[in-house]
Amino acid sequence: TNLFGPQYIMSLSTKYIFNNDLEFRTVIGSSNKTPTYDELFTFFVDSNHDVQGNPNLNPEQGISIFTHLKKTFKFKNNMSLRSKFSTSYIALKNKIELIISNPLPLAYKYNNIDDFKSLGFFFENEFKFRRLSSGLGISLLGVTQILNAEQDSNADFLYSLSANFNINYTIPKWNSNVTLYLKHNGSTQQFVQKTNNQGELTFERGETDAFTWLDLNFEKSFFNKRLVSTFGARNILNINSVNTNAIAGGAHSDAPRNLPLAYGRSFFLKLNYNLKQ
């Protein structure tokens, strides 16, 4: 049987191309979603796990707005630049998320977030010049969410800034190319439930430090591109963990001050042989 009533979806999109090849798009639509079977009826409980569904979940209801402004610039000597600026706004009621229902022993349960909003700004660029190509992207994303049961929840938007950069150079004489990838994750903020000196539950703003991933790949082909070898280095900056005060402590333990991210710098060699030509 159907547990929920009909969910109506609406969408409106527009596209306009200006005389100078400047393209503008807008998409406005509803963001309704009914709970999945797993979200309703999951029951995974043993000595190490406690994840449960919630048959009392309500469907998500909301609206989303996306805008895109894109333009391609062409220059001499086969040089080009494609730039795109986008914005997004999403507002949801009863957003479904897996939340901590009990800190000790740790237990999770699907629940409705009473009010959820996100606001994003994105700037993307692709540059090409002969055998060189590169990309640069910057994004700023803010999120606010409120649980109805938590009376002290703060409705402020918490923003995070991230950026990514890649550059690739092809060397035809060597049948090879070199690629560098960089991704910067800005500091992130979130509200953490804590107990003050009076024993009252409060929500304080915690922060996790920024960190950067840096990878480098060298690819070379042999035997008319039948054999392709790739040698690379991952996490060149040797990131292991970052400082944070955005994690709540347990009933009998302090909150952790470091958030583990990776096992450190690594190197790899990959060989691919193509049987079809």
Side-chain angles (χ1 to χ4, degrees), residues 209-263:
D209 287 351
F211 60 95
T212 302
W213 298 117
L214 181 63
D215 299 338
L216 178 65
N217 291 349
F218 177 78
E219 181 182 283
K220 180 173 175 57
S221 61
F222 303 89
F223 309 123
N224 196 26
K225 297 185 179 181
R226 283 185 176 273
L227 178 65
V228 179
S229 65
T230 306
F231 174 75
R234 293 179 177 143
N235 192 10
I236 295 175
L237 301 180
N238 199 30
I239 302 297
N240 293 279
S241 62
V242 293
N243 297 326
T244 183
N245 60 1
I247 302 177
H252 304 286
S253 61
D254 294 332
R257 290 295 179 181
N258 291 285
L259 179 66
L261 293 176
Y263 50 78

Side-chain angles (χ1 to χ4, degrees), residues 100 102-106 192-195 247-256:
I100 296 176
N102 188 41
L104 193 68
L106 186 61
V192 183
Q193 180 176 284
K194 295 185 178 182
T195 304
I247 302 177
H252 304 286
S253 61
D254 294 332

Side-chain angles (χ1 to χ4, degrees), residues 5 27 36 46 55 117 148 179 199:
V27 180
T36 64
D46 58 22
K117 293 184 179 70
N148 188 40
T179 308

Side-chain angles (χ1 to χ4, degrees), residues 35-245:
T36 64
Y37 182 88
D38 289 339
E39 293 166 343
L40 290 169
F41 303 115
T42 291
F43 188 84
F44 180 34
V45 179
D46 58 22
S47 58
N48 298 314
H49 308 88
D50 191 336
V51 181
Q52 300 186 36
N54 184 355
N56 297 317
L57 289 174
N58 294 315
E60 294 181 0
Q61 294 183 331
I63 189 171
S64 60
I65 303 172
F66 297 92
T67 64
H68 309 278
L69 190 63
K70 181 173 65 174
K71 181 173 174 60
T72 299
F73 303 88
K74 295 184 178 180
F75 308 97
K76 296 180 179 179
N77 300 319
N78 294 323
M79 184 187 301
S80 66
L81 172 65
R82 187 174 69 89
S83 296
K84 179 180 176 182
F85 177 74
S86 307
T87 64
S88 69
Y89 176 76
I90 301 174
L92 297 176
K93 297 292 184 182
N94 296 320
K95 184 177 188 295
I96 300 171
E97 281 196 7
L98 187 63
I99 66 172
I100 296 176
S101 58
N102 188 41
L104 193 68
L106 186 61
Y108 295 88
K109 187 175 183 178
Y110 286 99
N111 210 334
N112 288 115
I113 303 296
D114 184 66
D115 190 22
F116 172 90
K117 293 184 179 70
S118 72
L119 179 63
F121 303 91
F122 312 92
F123 185 49
E124 305 171 32
N125 298 274
E126 292 182 5
F127 175 78
K128 293 183 179 181
F129 177 60
R130 296 180 180 175
R131 294 189 291 270
L132 178 70
S133 63
S134 65
L136 173 65
I138 301 173
S139 66
L140 178 67
L141 181 65
V143 173
T144 177
Q145 53 187 350
I146 298 176
L147 270 172
N148 188 40
E150 298 170 346
Q151 300 299 327
D152 294 331
S153 294
N154 195 311
D156 292 345
F157 274 90
L158 299 182
Y159 288 92
S160 61
L161 178 70
S162 63
N164 61 81
F165 173 77
N166 67 80
I167 184 169
N168 176 274
Y169 186 75
T170 301
I171 310 173
K173 185 177 180 180
W174 295 355
N175 293 322
S176 62
N177 61 78
V178 182
T179 308
L180 180 74
Y181 303 92
L182 184 146
K183 180 175 174 58
H184 176 75
N185 299 273
S187 60
T188 58
Q189 297 178 331
Q190 67 184 76
F191 291 107
V192 183
Q193 180 176 284
K194 295 185 178 182
T195 304
N196 61 20
N197 296 331
Q198 290 74 37
E200 300 171 336
L201 291 179
T202 62
F203 284 85
E204 299 180 11
R205 183 174 297 186
E207 183 170 334
T208 300
D209 287 351
F211 60 95
T212 302
W213 298 117
L214 181 63
D215 299 338
L216 178 65
N217 291 349
F218 177 78
E219 181 182 283
K220 180 173 175 57
S221 61
F222 303 89
F223 309 123
N224 196 26
K225 297 185 179 181
R226 283 185 176 273
L227 178 65
V228 179
S229 65
T230 306
F231 174 75
R234 293 179 177 143
N235 192 10
I236 295 175
L237 301 180
N238 199 30
I239 302 297
N240 293 279
S241 62
V242 293
N243 297 326
T244 183
N245 60 1

